[in-house]
Amino acid sequence: MEEYSHIIIELEEDLEQLAMTSDHVLNTARLAIRRCK
């Protein structure tokens, strides 16, 4: 699990930033899905 922890932390930070900057729920969801992939 340790080898994935940096990826998870980076993704969480990225999604938090996305949530703060996007104002439309559907666009936020689409972008979040793309970043998760």
Side-chain angles (χ1 to χ4, degrees), residues 5-26:
S5 63
H6 71 281
I7 296 171
I8 294 168
I9 291 169
E10 185 177 319
L11 178 60
E12 286 176 344
E13 291 172 353
D14 197 25
L15 293 175
E16 285 178 16
Q17 183 66 30
L18 177 64
M20 286 190 281
T21 58
S22 184
D23 58 347
H24 194 267
V25 175
L26 290 178

